[in-house]
Amino acid sequence: MATFLYKLGRLAFRRRHFVALIWVALLTLAGVGAASAPAAGNTSFSIPGTEAQKAFDLLEQRFPGMSADGATARVVFKAPKGEKMTDAVNKATVEKTVKELRSGSEVASVADPYTGHAVSENGTIAYASVKYEVSGMELADSSKDALTDAAQDARDAGLTVEIGGDALSATPETGSSEIIGIAVAAVVLVITFGSLLAAGFPLLTAIIGVGIGVCAITALASALDLGTTTSTLASMIGLAVGIDYALFIVSRYRAELAEGREREDAAGRAVGTAGSAVVFAGLTVVIALVGLSVVNIPMLTKMGIAAAGTVAIAVLIALTMIPALLGYAGRRIKPAGQKSKLLGGGRTPKKPGRPNMGTRWASFVVRRPVAVLLLGVLGLGAAAIPAASLELGLPDDGSQPTSTTQRRAYDLLSEGFGPGFNGPLMIVVDAKDSADPKAAFAEVGDEIKGLKDVVTVTPAAPNKAGDTATITVVPDSKPSSTTTEDLVHAIRDKGADIARKTDSQVLVTGSTAMNIDVSQKLNDALLPYLALVVGLAFLLLIVVFRSILVPLKAALGFLLSVMAALGAVVAVFQWGWLSGLMNVEETGPVMSMMPIFMVGVVFGLAMDYEVFLVTRMREAYVHGEKPSQAVVTGFKHGARVVTAAAVIMMAVFSGFIGSSESMVKMIGFGLAIAVFFDAFLVRMAIVPAVLALLGKRAWWLPKWLDRALPNVDVEGEGLRAHTTPEEEKELVRA
């Protein structure tokens, strides 16, 4: 592989006009496709295999036009102090608002507070329930505007009005976060390379790659039912790996120049060596993202595949466009250790010949491997302790900032009707095979009334055929509490007993039950997903490093960093540690998607650092250095670049911590702290300590396996055929 990539790098360097034209043409083609593609709404949301989804599907069949999974809104009214909602003036205002709400084109139904018993016992709070024909993710902006306008008219009349439900849900804006990440990346790259031009190449190629990927997703959004969250994830991951991969190759190019290579040869060798690491690092990210399909949530599968496609584009751009740009730059790109004149180049260093910080740190670790290993493992283990108390759930309006209307509506409903009113459960009774459907409906209602934590059970509402009915159950506890989750399981257990007695089927659904089912599905899929991703990557790393222990160490180190990051997330968002600093207004269960999402994204980025850092060690070892010296050499050439890449990733992810959305804030913090743990504690401390302790055994591989594995030559041993004897002697001395 190294030889093939070497030739590819030289070809791209020589034919730079052709290569640049191809990528500009692809970007233009994707942009035109995105501009001319039909407008697509947000992706539909379904969770195959869950009881809540089965109930939704059944309701669609038995209650035509009911729109069981349609968006809902609760317009909550509160009377001025000293007044009641039953006063004539206030009642007239509410009835006028209800009339406005019913005029919406996508509105299925609106329940009047006064005919639907939706006024609190003390008479100060009331609400109108709005049901839409489409889901919250597909609701048109015009419908949302009509909803907010109707509420504003009621406010102008003197009432306090807030809107809850999923009708106003929107995808968080992340543009400013990306700009912050790019700005920090630019500063770090300039410091790393000492050159504005060299720093600009990774940013330029990453932006082009993300542009092609996002435009392609937009162009295919209608045909493949892709939503805005798909392009958001693709842009975040594509930007991250795009900068990393280009950074690795530009850094290696400058190192080759410092050894006296001609520029075309240096570009070829940079792509042949660092490019090989980029290919395999990219493959691990693709495996992690495509592996999300094992969860069997269609939206998550599409997001993973789209992001994997963007990563593949980032790899191809790094291998071809970077050497082409290096060809355009010519002598303006300085060898490693030299800065441009604008940034202080040409000055005599104060301490010539002094080892860089990476070399000094690696030398220290090699001398004290046991102490460094113990401190690293104990530190990560301590950070992981809170993960033992991990509680999973999905965010609801109660986790929103108090500045939002959804949160204020949530609080008003809790005040007027109790906390469980914000998460009612819908019980669907399928009595098609029952001899007495009415008796089955009544028995289900009576059985549920006797359960703990139940406040209200409404009478059964059958369909026209009389074979299916819905029952609404209001819990005594808030939707995200473990008590409500226990109630859902209790109803399902009771439903199994009723089914045997009455030949009917009892299903629990609604947004609260759906959240519980999604959390359980993600939790059940975590171990299979982890086994798949780590297992495939383990096999891939065996091929890359031609070793058993090095990939094993890489996988175990990754697990340590992920557990420590999950522990930090639990401490902040569940326990409330440093919640003020992070502006976390409401603590509660960790988002159920967080563990599996963190495993996928962080594993890919962690393997980037592992492959790039350890391949330099492997390269030095294969070229004749002792194992301990190879560790130092790997850090000499790779530590600065890996540090820069990690800081850039932390900056990109940290930008999301400032979001008002608790879910986005949690993802940003979790990924940023995970990159910190993995890059600086695992890859920079535990990895060299383990390799120093293992010595030659780190690179051991059974002879039969060595013969069976393909020789991908990531360390560039095959490039010696393109090295003169004089150059080879000089490289050995270096």
Side-chain angles (χ1 to χ4, degrees):
M1 175 177 284
T3 302
F4 168 75
L5 292 177
Y6 169 79
K7 294 177 180 178
L8 178 64
R10 294 194 65 164
L11 178 65
F13 188 94
R14 289 196 308 271
R15 300 286 185 262
R16 46 188 172 272
H17 303 307
F18 180 68
V19 172
L21 182 62
I22 288 177
W23 285 112
V24 170
L26 287 174
L27 179 60
T28 303
L29 183 64
V32 171
S36 58
N42 289 318
T43 183
S44 56
F45 187 76
S46 63
I47 311 295
T50 61
E51 180 173 317
Q53 187 63 49
K54 290 177 183 176
F56 277 137
D57 296 340
L58 182 64
L59 288 172
E60 290 289 345
Q61 296 173 12
R62 307 285 176 84
F63 292 81
M66 181 181 179
S67 301
D69 59 347
T72 59
R74 278 177 169 173
V75 183
V76 187
F77 307 89
K78 184 174 183 179
K81 190 174 182 180
E83 299 181 18
K84 292 189 176 183
M85 292 305 304
T86 52
D87 294 346
V89 175
N90 295 334
K91 187 175 181 179
T93 301
V94 172
E95 289 174 343
K96 180 183 177 182
T97 303
V98 169
K99 186 177 180 180
E100 287 183 45
L101 292 171
R102 284 176 177 158
S103 64
S105 59
E106 294 179 312
V107 173
S109 64
V110 180
D112 188 301
Y114 302 102
T115 59
H117 307 289
V119 180
S120 63
E121 289 186 6
N122 61 11
T124 60
I125 297 173
Y127 69 91
S129 296
V130 186
K131 183 74 175 177
Y132 291 89
E133 296 174 349
V134 297
S135 69
M137 304 180 77
E138 300 170 306
L139 196 63
D141 290 339
S142 58
S143 295
K144 296 179 181 180
D145 292 340
L147 177 62
T148 54
D149 289 345
Q152 187 58 49
D153 290 342
R155 290 191 191 101
D156 294 340
L159 297 178
T160 298
V161 186
E162 304 297 345
I163 304 172
D166 61 349
L168 291 184
S169 61
T171 303
E173 296 292 333
T174 57
S176 59
S177 301
E178 292 174 1
I179 292 172
I180 294 172
I182 292 173
V184 174
V187 173
V188 174
L189 288 169
V190 169
I191 295 173
T192 302
F193 290 138
S195 166
L196 292 175
L197 186 62
F201 287 169
L203 291 174
L204 176 62
T205 54
I207 291 172
I208 290 174
V210 168
I212 293 173
V214 171
C215 286
I217 291 170
T218 304
L220 298 172
S222 178
L224 301 181
D225 192 25
L226 304 177
T228 53
T229 50
T230 304
S231 58
T232 300
L233 177 64
S235 63
M236 182 171 68
I237 303 302
L239 184 65
V241 300
I243 294 175
D244 271 11
Y245 297 161
L247 170 63
F248 294 160
I249 292 177
V250 173
S251 176
R252 185 59 184 257
Y253 172 75
R254 297 178 71 236
E256 295 292 340
L257 289 180
E259 293 180 355
R261 307 282 187 196
E262 292 295 329
R263 293 188 177 272
E264 182 179 327
D265 186 46
R269 290 178 181 277
V271 176
T273 52
S276 296
V278 164
V279 169
F280 283 97
L283 279 175
T284 60
V285 181
V286 168
I287 288 172
L289 291 172
V290 173
L292 289 171
S293 58
V294 303
V295 183
N296 195 27
I297 296 179
M299 185 181 70
L300 196 59
T301 299
K302 293 173 185 177
M303 290 170 62
I305 293 175
T310 307
V311 171
I313 293 171
V315 171
L316 292 174
I317 283 186
L319 297 178
T320 56
M321 194 169 182
I322 284 294
L325 292 175
L326 293 174
Y328 282 119
R331 296 186 178 278
R332 284 170 290 183
I333 299 295
K334 304 296 183 182
Q338 296 184 24
K339 297 181 179 180
S340 64
K341 291 183 179 180
L342 182 64
L343 298 173
R347 299 177 185 174
T348 303
K350 296 180 180 180
K351 296 183 180 180
R354 184 186 180 188
N356 63 20
M357 185 175 294
T359 303
R360 297 197 300 273
W361 169 250
S363 298
F364 170 78
V365 174
V366 168
R367 291 195 306 270
R368 301 284 189 274
V370 175
V372 172
L373 178 61
L374 287 176
L375 284 174
V377 171
L378 290 175
L380 290 171
I385 289 175
S389 303
L390 176 67
E391 294 178 7
L392 297 178
L394 287 178
D396 55 24
D397 287 347
S399 61
Q400 296 273 6
T402 53
S403 58
T404 63
T405 186
Q406 292 94 333
R407 173 60 186 276
R408 291 196 291 263
Y410 181 98
D411 292 340
L412 284 176
L413 288 172
S414 296
E415 176 188 340
F417 303 93
F421 199 78
N422 284 289
L425 305 175
M426 180 182 287
I427 313 302
V428 181
V429 185
D430 179 7
K432 190 174 184 179
D433 298 328
S434 177
D436 189 353
K438 289 185 178 180
F441 301 155
E443 183 166 353
V444 171
D446 292 339
E447 290 285 351
I448 294 175
K449 286 178 183 177
L451 294 176
K452 184 181 178 182
D453 197 45
V454 172
V455 174
T456 305
V457 178
T458 64
N463 62 349
K464 289 183 180 180
D467 58 5
T468 308
T470 60
I471 299 172
T472 301
V473 177
V474 177
D476 186 43
S477 51
K478 63 181 184 178
S480 60
S481 69
T482 55
T483 307
T484 301
E485 183 176 349
D486 292 340
L487 175 61
V488 170
H489 294 311
I491 294 174
R492 287 173 174 169
D493 292 341
K494 187 67 68 174
D497 296 335
I498 297 171
R500 287 190 292 269
K501 297 177 184 176
T502 62
D503 293 324
S504 61
Q505 185 178 17
V506 179
L507 302 173
V508 184
T509 189
S511 59
T512 301
M514 179 65 84
N515 287 351
I516 291 170
D517 286 352
V518 171
S519 299
Q520 187 61 49
K521 192 176 182 69
L522 288 166
N523 193 41
D524 293 342
L526 182 58
L527 286 180
Y529 174 70
L530 191 61
L532 174 69
V533 170
V534 176
L536 289 177
F538 180 76
L539 296 176
L540 188 66
L541 292 178
I542 289 178
V543 176
V544 173
F545 296 125
R546 307 196 76 77
S547 164
I548 297 292
L549 296 179
V550 170
L552 181 62
K553 172 266 307 169
L556 294 177
F558 158 73
L559 292 175
L560 266 178
S561 59
V562 166
M563 290 304 298
L566 279 176
V569 169
V570 170
V572 174
F573 292 90
Q574 188 176 308
W575 292 359
W577 294 5
L578 302 178
S579 58
L581 181 63
M582 297 292 172
N583 197 26
V584 178
E585 296 186 9
E586 186 77 18
T587 59
V590 172
M591 183 183 64
S592 54
M593 197 180 295
M594 193 69 196
I596 203 163
F597 184 79
M598 185 179 291
V599 166
V601 176
V602 176
F603 182 78
L605 296 177
M607 292 305 103
D608 282 359
Y609 308 141
E610 175 77 15
V611 169
F612 189 75
L613 192 61
V614 180
T615 47
R616 292 306 297 259
M617 300 177 190
R618 166 80 180 170
E619 183 179 341
Y621 176 74
V622 169
H623 290 168
E625 292 188 5
K626 294 180 179 179
S628 58
Q629 184 57 39
V631 171
V632 177
T633 301
F635 265 76
K636 175 184 177 182
H637 296 293
R640 183 181 178 90
V641 180
V642 170
T643 300
V647 171
I648 289 170
M649 291 308 96
M650 290 169 59
V652 170
F653 295 138
S654 294
F656 292 86
I657 297 177
S659 172
S660 60
E661 290 284 338
S662 61
M663 181 174 69
V664 176
K665 186 191 297 287
M666 189 181 297
I667 289 175
F669 173 79
L671 294 181
I673 198 70
V675 169
F676 171 77
F677 285 147
D678 196 89
F680 294 106
L681 295 183
V682 175
R683 309 304 153 192
M684 293 288 187
I686 293 177
V687 166
V690 171
L691 291 178
L693 289 172
L694 291 175
K696 291 184 178 180
R697 290 167 294 183
W699 310 109
W700 171 81
L701 188 69
K703 291 183 179 180
W704 63 269
L705 185 56
D706 188 37
R707 291 191 298 268
L709 292 176
N711 185 10
V712 295
D713 189 22
V714 176
E715 64 274 1
E717 180 65 17
L719 298 183
R720 286 183 176 273
H722 303 275
T723 305
T724 65
E726 290 75 13
E727 287 176 328
E728 187 171 340
K729 290 178 182 178
E730 184 63 30
L731 289 174
V732 171
R733 286 197 296 271

